[in-house]
Amino acid sequence: MYKRQPAEPAAAEDGQLQWAAPSAGGVEGEVPTVVGELFHTYILACTEDRFFLVDKHAAHERILFERLKREYRQIARQILLEPVAVTLAPEEISAVLEHRELLQNAGFIAEELGVSAMVVREIPSFLQNCDIAGIFEEVASNLAKGEQEVSASHIDWLFNSIACRAAIKGGNRSTQYELQQLMEDIYRYDIVKYCPHGRPIVIEQTKKDIEKLFGRL
């Protein structure tokens, strides 16, 4: 599903500066400080000599994706005080039951609820306040279609479905704390520079690049 490898940012041509993606692991271990947010979608951050523009949805999606991969089979689960009922087609219910162990290893515990629904009783602990019904519906649909590999070595699609649905959405307001925490997670976990869909997560310019744009150099 994710065979396409995203191209590196193009080199500058005709004297026009272009954004460059940072190397994995951040800038020599220094976590950029959040200074604002653009369109409730992009994080503005900087260090002493670099400026960063971060797609918060793509970044959060990648963080969740990597966490699911790393903690698969050992994911801490949260028992829902109010279980979530999810309406599914009969073939989707059959697919979920057939792959019950796969979902348990990914942190989901669900049971049949009549002939057209299931009830989700436990979820990965870090997915609280997420659209659990939407996540579970998408996973069940993919399982029923039989278009996805479900072996332990071919389940990136599962992590991606969960991460994409659960990630912070572009256009939604975030607190300063949430934005700074996201920046710290990007650099703490050595997040690669592309989301699971191949879109860039972080782009940057140096202070020198910006000064050139304004004719200061």
Side-chain angles (χ1 to χ4, degrees), residues 35-206:
V35 295
E37 186 179 14
L38 184 65
F39 310 130
H40 305 308
T41 300
Y42 304 100
I43 304 171
L44 307 177
C46 66
T47 60
E48 185 174 344
D49 63 351
R50 290 179 183 270
F51 168 74
F52 300 84
L53 188 63
V54 182
D55 183 325
K56 67 179 181 181
H57 170 77
H60 194 213
E61 180 182 359
R62 187 74 200 203
I63 290 167
L64 293 177
F65 178 83
E66 295 295 335
R67 184 170 181 179
L68 284 161
K69 288 181 65 174
R70 185 175 62 250
E71 297 180 6
Y72 183 65
R73 292 193 179 92
Q74 301 177 21
I75 293 176
R77 294 198 297 263
Q78 172 71 44
I79 298 174
L80 296 174
L81 295 179
E82 295 185 9
V84 176
V86 183
T87 301
L88 300 173
E91 61 271 21
E92 292 174 335
I93 293 176
S94 295
V96 168
L97 294 176
E98 180 182 352
H99 300 289
R100 188 192 300 269
E101 183 178 356
L102 173 77
L103 294 175
Q104 288 180 352
N105 287 336
F108 291 91
I109 301 294
E111 301 172 356
E112 289 180 87
L113 185 64
V115 296
S116 61
M118 297 195 74
V119 59
V120 181
R121 297 193 179 281
E122 297 183 38
I123 62 172
S125 60
F126 57 87
L127 294 186
Q128 295 182 62
N129 303 318
C130 292
D131 178 16
I132 300 304
I135 292 171
F136 203 81
E137 287 171 0
E138 182 172 319
V139 170
S141 176
N142 284 332
L143 288 172
K145 290 175 183 176
E147 298 174 352
Q148 310 290 350
E149 287 273 3
V150 294
S151 64
S153 59
H154 294 88
I155 55 172
D156 278 5
W157 66 267
L158 173 61
F159 304 139
N160 183 50
S161 293
I162 297 171
C164 187
R165 284 277 189 165
I168 296 170
K169 300 300 183 288
N172 291 351
R173 290 181 178 274
S174 300
T175 66
Q176 183 76 8
Y177 174 81
E178 289 170 336
L179 297 176
Q180 188 62 50
Q181 186 62 54
L182 191 55
M183 288 300 302
E184 292 178 5
D185 286 345
I186 291 170
Y187 287 84
R188 179 184 301 117
Y189 295 120
D190 195 32
I191 297 301
V192 299
K193 50 195 173 187
Y194 297 95
C195 79
H197 297 103
R199 294 192 297 109
I201 290 173
V202 185
I203 51 180
E204 72 174 273
Q205 281 195 324
T206 64

